[in-house]
Every structure is written in structure tokens, then in C-alpha cells.
Amino acid sequence: MMIKHLFFSLAMMGCALTVSAAAPVAKIQSMLAKPAILCGRFDQSKQLAGIKKPLASNGRFCVVAGKGVLWRTLQPFPNTLRLTREEIVHFQGDRVAMRLDAKQEPTVRMINSVLFSLLSGDLAQLENLFEVEGTADQHSWRVALKAREPALAKAIGAISLDGAAYVKNITINEASGDRSSIVFSAIQTGETAMLAEEAALF
């Protein structure tokens, strides 16, 4: 199933002070940078229920405001996903291997909205779909998300995030017992952050 593949390939709070759900969202939003173009490296570890050795992958990602997300797995196998508000496109090389349209697959719009919000740190949008609990201090933050709707909880499960000006780590605990951990690094912003072949896919 493409949604499961997406999360496999894929998809953000002195002493930390625990506060009410509404308060950390506003504080975290003020801490997060909001560049027009954000690119970097991801390292993902997928722990499947009942299997001891996790599956590892890494690659590059780009978040382009107003356009979408590009998720390029480089290791162990090249694989590229482009997500916009309207569709998910899976590339193999320059060839389109699969395309999911939000008009035909209603869950595409919901999943894309979650991923955009996670990668850009848009907690205000995430509050519409998740119960948000978090802590924040002057330099960092941590958030736990629990899906409000049973269908979303079944597809995604629970999510935790932490970071500072940018999201640093995302952990997804799926209802099936599978667990994905994603670490973001080498963050760059601005026009020069995106490689020519990445820009061409938008």
C-alpha cells in the first residue's frame, strides 16, 4: 500500500516547563524558522514488529513553501516521492512509477497535510488532526501527537517530535507495532539549498 510505503520511505519544546497544550504551540511556532525553501539530509530507522534488526535508509528532503515536499531516498535503494496538496508521485529515475490523486484517494490529502505540517513544524495545522502535548524551554522543544480520528490513528498511530529552529527528530509509532525514527541534519535554506535535479521535479 502506497501510504505504508510513504512512511517507510519517510514523513517537531533554564529547565523544561510543562505547560497546557495551547501554550507550547504558540511558543514553538515563534521558535521555528519558516524559510521558503528548506533542504537537508534524513536518516531513517524502521523497526518492524517481530524483527530484531531495523531497516535503515537515508537520503535528502526538500520542503518548498506553496509547492510541496520532495523525499529522495538514496540508500539502500534510490527512490523519490513528490508530495503536493493534490497528489503523491513516486518516481523511479525520471519515470513516474505511481501517482495518487487526492480527488480519487481522499486519504492522500490528509496524509500530505500531516507530512507538510510535520516537516515544516506547522503545529497550528497539526492541532486540527491531533491532540498536542508538549514542553518548551528557551532553546528547544518536544511535542507528542495523538490522532483525534480513529482512521488517522490506524494509519499513523502516535508521533513525537523535537527540535529548535528546525525539526530535528520525528518518531512514528504505528498501530501495528512498527516504529520509525527519522533524524534530520545538514539543514540548508534558500535558493541554493536545492539541487538542480530536485528543482526540476517541481
Side-chain angles (χ1 to χ4, degrees):
M1 184 178 180
M2 187 61 180
I3 297 303
K4 287 294 184 182
H5 174 74
L6 175 60
F7 278 101
F8 176 75
S9 300
L10 269 177
M12 250 170 258
M13 266 181 173
C15 296
L17 176 64
T18 301
V19 287
S20 65
V25 170
K27 181 173 178 60
I28 295 164
Q29 288 294 141
S30 69
M31 295 170 68
L32 284 161
K34 298 175 179 63
I37 299 175
L38 170 70
C39 296
R41 174 189 170 99
F42 72 84
D43 289 271
Q44 177 169 333
S45 176
K46 173 92 172 184
Q47 183 67 62
L48 299 173
I51 299 179
K52 291 183 178 181
K53 187 176 181 179
L55 304 173
S57 61
N58 65 69
R60 279 179 52 83
F61 74 97
C62 287
V63 181
V64 182
K67 289 189 176 181
V69 175
L70 196 65
W71 192 266
R72 299 177 62 207
T73 301
L74 301 177
Q75 298 290 338
F77 305 107
N79 178 33
T80 299
L81 293 169
R82 185 187 67 205
L83 301 89
T84 66
R85 296 291 180 188
E86 302 303 325
E87 64 180 7
I88 297 174
V89 181
H90 177 204
F91 295 93
Q92 290 184 338
D94 295 329
R95 182 178 67 87
V96 175
M98 184 177 294
R99 186 188 302 269
L100 289 178
D101 192 307
K103 294 179 181 178
Q104 299 174 341
E105 298 278 351
T107 55
V108 169
R109 189 180 301 275
M110 177 180 67
I111 295 297
N112 283 6
S113 179
V114 171
L115 292 174
F116 291 153
S117 300
L118 287 175
L119 292 172
S120 63
D122 187 354
L123 295 179
Q125 176 64 31
L126 289 171
E127 274 194 303
N128 295 328
L129 298 171
F130 296 89
E131 296 176 10
V132 180
E133 295 183 358
T135 59
D137 59 30
Q138 290 184 330
H139 306 292
S140 64
W141 51 264
R142 182 178 298 274
V143 166
L145 305 174
K146 183 179 180 181
R148 297 182 185 276
E149 297 295 329
L152 184 58
K154 184 177 181 179
I156 298 177
I159 302 174
S160 61
L161 312 95
D162 65 76
Y166 304 105
V167 178
K168 292 183 179 179
N169 301 281
I170 297 177
T171 300
I172 303 171
N173 291 292
E174 299 179 29
S176 64
D178 296 348
R179 175 187 175 95
S180 296
S181 298
I182 308 171
V183 179
F184 300 101
S185 60
I187 300 297
Q188 294 180 300
T189 61
E191 295 290 340
T192 59
M194 187 179 294
L195 303 177
E197 61 264 33
E198 294 167 344
L201 291 175
F202 281 106

